[in-house]
Amino acid sequence: MSKSIQPRECSIADALDLVGERWTLLAVRELSHGVRRFDQIVRNTGASRDILTARLRKLEAAGAVRRKQYNEHPPRYEYHLTPAGQELGDVLLALMKWGDRHLNSDDPPLKWQHSCGETLEPELICAHCGEPARKGVHSPTGRGALPAG
């Protein structure tokens, strides 16, 4: 008798079901940059039209993107991030920081200027104590926490 494998329940896994594919996150990147039209998103990501259509539909179904029609004949749409989609920008900033540090340390291809006038250095912090999120001990709790060992 074999035991069935039950993976750990986790919001990371749930989020990856939605955005854990290259073209999805690159579409969100373009929308974060203010690119709204499908053809421009295709051009800037390099995704095929059918793949990009599927990814945008999935984001729309999840409530991260909304379509807005801008032309009736033929029907054409712009894509906009919802507040939930805008929050994915934080994920992209964290990925960019990691990529700049570990993959493009000699010459990061893109930098962001923060509204304070300085180059943006994103940092994930604990909302309660203000310390960097990586500092200290992390202990999983909740229904996805598995017993040690």
Side-chain angles (χ1 to χ4, degrees):
M1 175 188 276
S2 66
K3 292 183 179 182
S4 65
I5 297 174
Q6 295 295 321
R8 179 191 308 261
E9 289 186 62
C10 169
S11 290
I12 294 170
D14 295 341
L16 286 172
D17 282 341
L18 175 63
V19 300
E21 196 273 331
R22 167 188 185 95
W23 305 119
T24 304
L25 287 176
L26 290 178
V28 170
R29 177 196 68 190
E30 291 306 309
L31 294 168
S32 296
H33 290 289
V35 177
R36 306 274 180 254
R37 305 268 169 104
F38 184 81
D39 287 342
Q40 294 170 324
I41 298 169
V42 167
R43 182 187 69 230
N44 293 351
T45 62
S48 69
R49 297 177 73 80
D50 59 331
I51 288 176
L52 185 59
T53 297
R55 300 311 180 264
L56 288 169
R57 285 183 181 156
K58 192 172 181 181
L59 287 167
E60 185 178 15
V65 167
R66 67 177 171 80
R67 286 189 310 159
K68 180 179 175 185
Q69 190 170 7
Y70 69 88
N71 194 38
E72 285 190 36
H73 301 289
R76 299 272 191 246
Y77 298 89
E78 289 184 333
Y79 295 87
H80 298 265
L81 292 172
T82 65
Q86 290 170 357
E87 287 184 40
L88 287 170
D90 296 340
V91 174
L92 295 178
L93 287 173
L95 280 171
M96 184 183 74
K97 180 179 179 177
W98 187 89
D100 286 351
R101 178 171 293 140
H102 299 286
L103 304 174
N104 293 298
S105 60
D106 292 337
D107 185 24
L110 182 67
K111 294 182 182 182
W112 289 93
Q113 185 177 19
H114 191 266
S115 58
C116 71
E118 296 296 321
T119 299
L120 177 64
E121 287 289 333
E123 186 70 37
L124 186 62
I125 62 165
C126 174
H128 297 284
C129 70
E131 290 289 328
R134 284 184 286 152
K135 185 175 181 180
V137 177
H138 301 99
S139 301
T141 62
R143 64 184 158 92
L146 299 176

